[in-house]
Amino acid sequence: MGRKAARAILIDDDPEFHETFRKALESVAVETGFPVELACTSGTGMDGHEAEGFDIYFVDIELGQESGIELASELQRRCSGREFIFVSAHEDYVWRSMLARPRSFLRKRVLEEDLREAMVFQKKLWERRYARVKVGRAEVCPQTVLWCESNDHYIDIHLDNGDSILIRARMSQLEGLLSGYHFIRIHNRFLVNLEHVWRLEGNQVFLKNKMVLQISRTYQKKAQEGMKKWFEDLYLSF
């Protein structure tokens, strides 16, 4: 297991709510046994550097004249593999917020109740993120893998930090090892982590880091079904 505490940021233009949220998160952290280090910002003028380095983003949907949904969508593209949770006093925004595919939606009027449920889910994701799988002579954290690419008898495992690991193995062997971590085969040469997929369009997979991979005809239906099942499980399993 890796780090014990997750790093989170609350982006909300109401400074008074920062303290309310901090107290609620501290209470839930004790109850769930999932410690979280929290930073708070209004979101106004937030640059790329300030937005980096967090595991969980809590984003208010109304940020003055700005849209929290648009901000979250942009941050998702820049911060692949991170968790996004919307917070709002306007409960009718929940369906609109789905455009940005958040993990959860927190209602401010029942903040601690919704936050408790969300953090139980986040704890499970956190534990899974830092699980390690033995692949050949290497050990990898499946949730940090973007995609795997085979080349003859070798496979390049591409990580979310830009590094890659070269192993000697068959793609079918790797597919079996990673099947429990939302990986799907999209090509004889490619195995992709759905956690890092932004969208499927035609015969292409667009990753959140802007990488584009080709889906072969053989795997096109399987890829679409895998994406659909992952999306359904995301909201129905917990």
Side-chain angles (χ1 to χ4, degrees), residues 107-123:
R107 300 165 292 175
K108 287 187 176 181
R109 69 176 179 85
V110 285
L111 177 64
E112 193 160 330
E113 176 185 331
D114 283 0
L115 187 58
R116 183 182 302 109
E117 183 177 340
M119 297 314 287
V120 167
F121 186 16
Q122 286 296 317
K123 183 180 180 182

Side-chain angles (χ1 to χ4, degrees), residues 200-217:
L200 269 64
E201 187 174 306
N203 65 342
Q204 293 182 314
V205 171
F206 293 80
L207 301 186
K208 293 176 183 178
N209 69 347
K210 299 184 179 180
M211 180 68 187
V212 180
L213 300 174
Q214 296 296 314
I215 307 174
S216 70
R217 287 185 179 181

Side-chain angles (χ1 to χ4, degrees), residues 81-100:
R82 302 303 186 261
E83 299 296 319
F84 287 83
I85 297 174
F86 281 122
V87 186
S88 183
H90 304 282
E91 296 176 21
D92 55 325
Y93 286 169
V94 63
W95 298 114
R96 192 188 310 174
S97 74
M98 292 299 107
L99 294 171

